[in-house]
Amino acid sequence: MATNAIDQTRRMLSLVTYLRERPGARVSDVARAFGISEDELIGDLDVLPMCGTSFRGGDLLDIDTDGDRIWWHNPDDVAEPLRLAADEATALLVAARAVATLPGLREGDRQALLRATAKLEAAAGEAAGASSRVSVTFESEGGVFADVDRAIAERRRLWLRYYSPARDELTEREVDPIRLFAVGHTYVEAWCRLSEARRTFRLDRVAEIRLLDAPADPPPVELRDLSEGLVQPAAEDPEVVIEVGPGGRWVAEYYPHDSAEEQPDGGLRITLRTPDPASLRRLALRLGRDGRILSPQALADSARQASRQALAAYGE
């Protein structure tokens, strides 16, 4: 089952209580108790040590694992009553008010957040007044994130207008969201009804988004391990050979590749695999005199034609 950001937060809060009562708990037992994989649990444990009872650090959760058992070395610190300085209360109130305005936030979560905010305002006294004079506005990606998060939670289909830089075009499509994740940028992995395949969409390239009444029903898919990065070519993907000069050696740093052979002029002959070879036409245009596509021949011809069209446009 796909997990959204709010569900993960709830799970991690429950995990704190669970681990406090079970020192030395086995990773396998905890994962089973929370209905998640051991890899997901380890991911939560990587985040928890960054959390604490203050914004200043020094009281962070000291939790670690040897891969078999989980150890919490300072559980008593969390039991101490929370003490917030004025600047901490102000920052927390500003953040809470901003999150409460996010479009797509589930109403039950919004009301719970507003109740917690009211209690914090009462306890903060004068600091609450100072925080009311500060506001935060989320960029458009924040609204898209909230809609996707809500769609995952309610298992609803999404309609997107999405910009594809590889084709330099906007497309409209319906997708069944599977999960949100971040690798440099924030993405939603979804089953695309237009292509009838699993696709990944970058949130800042979503021009328009709507929640649909149709239920999301993606086919069962195995979630990819993203620890090695977003782009992970498969062995069955088409092979592309690119030759670059010294000024194009950066391609080997940014694109996963099978081989990069040194050339006499200081350049490289790079062999890589991609599920969408046509997307490399833009790379050929960007390289200009610093590189060219050698194979497959159809892609090389297409890149040359795109170059001619670009030069003709400059001439006009």
Side-chain angles (χ1 to χ4, degrees):
M1 179 186 300
T3 302
N4 62 58
I6 293 176
D7 290 336
Q8 184 182 17
T9 301
R10 289 179 177 139
R11 183 178 72 224
M12 292 175 65
L13 289 172
S14 300
L15 188 58
V16 168
T17 302
Y18 186 94
L19 293 177
R20 189 173 191 276
E21 296 173 353
R22 297 168 177 82
R26 291 189 178 278
V27 169
S28 57
D29 293 340
V30 178
R32 190 179 307 111
F34 282 83
I36 58 176
S37 69
E38 292 186 18
D39 286 342
E40 288 176 304
L41 175 59
I42 296 300
D44 287 350
L45 296 177
D46 288 340
V47 175
L48 280 176
M50 304 178 195
C51 306
T53 57
S54 141
F55 300 135
R56 292 187 171 85
D59 57 358
L60 302 181
L61 307 184
D62 187 6
I63 297 175
D64 64 33
T65 177
D66 59 7
D68 178 41
R69 293 181 179 272
I70 304 169
W71 303 100
W72 186 352
H73 302 291
N74 62 342
D76 293 337
D77 293 350
V78 178
E80 296 179 0
L82 178 63
R83 298 284 188 270
L84 291 177
D87 59 334
E88 292 175 324
T90 299
L92 190 57
L93 283 167
V94 170
R97 292 192 187 107
V99 171
T101 65
L102 277 174
L105 187 66
R106 282 169 281 178
E107 190 57 32
D109 293 317
R110 191 190 311 278
Q111 293 303 320
L113 180 58
L114 290 175
R115 289 193 297 271
T117 303
K119 293 178 181 178
L120 183 57
E121 287 175 340
E126 294 182 2
S131 69
S132 65
R133 295 189 290 272
V134 181
S135 63
V136 174
T137 302
F138 288 100
E139 297 179 356
S140 57
E141 183 178 321
V144 173
F145 181 97
D147 283 339
V148 174
D149 186 69
R150 179 179 174 187
I152 293 173
E154 299 179 4
R155 299 189 179 185
R156 291 168 61 180
R157 188 168 296 175
L158 286 166
W159 174 87
L160 305 177
R161 286 183 68 234
Y162 186 75
Y163 173 68
S164 173
R167 297 176 176 81
D168 192 25
E169 64 180 6
L170 280 167
T171 59
E172 297 183 9
R173 59 187 77 206
E174 292 184 8
V175 303
D176 293 343
I178 298 171
R179 62 169 170 170
L180 281 161
F181 64 89
V183 180
H185 297 276
T186 307
Y187 299 83
V188 56
E189 188 171 18
W191 185 262
C192 177
R193 295 290 167 178
L194 178 64
S195 58
E196 285 300 319
R198 177 167 55 178
R199 292 288 184 264
T200 300
F201 303 96
R202 223 172 86 175
L203 296 197
D204 60 351
R205 291 176 179 164
V206 176
E208 191 176 351
I209 186 171
R210 287 203 304 267
L211 274 79
L212 303 178
D213 292 332
D217 186 25
V221 294
E222 183 178 351
L223 297 182
R224 294 182 300 155
D225 179 7
L226 300 172
S227 59
E228 299 299 323
L230 178 61
V231 180
Q232 299 175 39
E236 62 271 17
D237 289 341
E239 183 180 272
V240 178
V241 180
I242 302 174
E243 194 170 77
V244 300
R249 293 179 66 93
W250 58 268
V251 173
E253 299 176 9
Y254 284 87
Y255 286 80
H257 55 277
D258 295 338
S259 65
E261 301 174 10
E262 293 285 348
Q263 299 298 295
D265 65 352
L268 296 170
R269 177 169 294 185
I270 302 168
T271 301
L272 55 84
R273 296 181 182 276
T274 173
D276 184 15
S279 65
L280 295 178
R281 280 198 301 265
R282 290 175 65 87
L283 172 62
L285 290 173
R286 182 179 177 186
L287 284 168
R289 295 180 181 275
D290 285 325
R292 62 193 179 106
I293 294 174
L294 298 182
S295 67
Q297 190 60 49
L299 179 59
D301 294 342
S302 175
R304 279 193 291 271
Q305 180 62 25
S307 298
R308 294 190 192 100
Q309 292 173 347
L311 288 172
Y314 276 106
E316 293 172 2

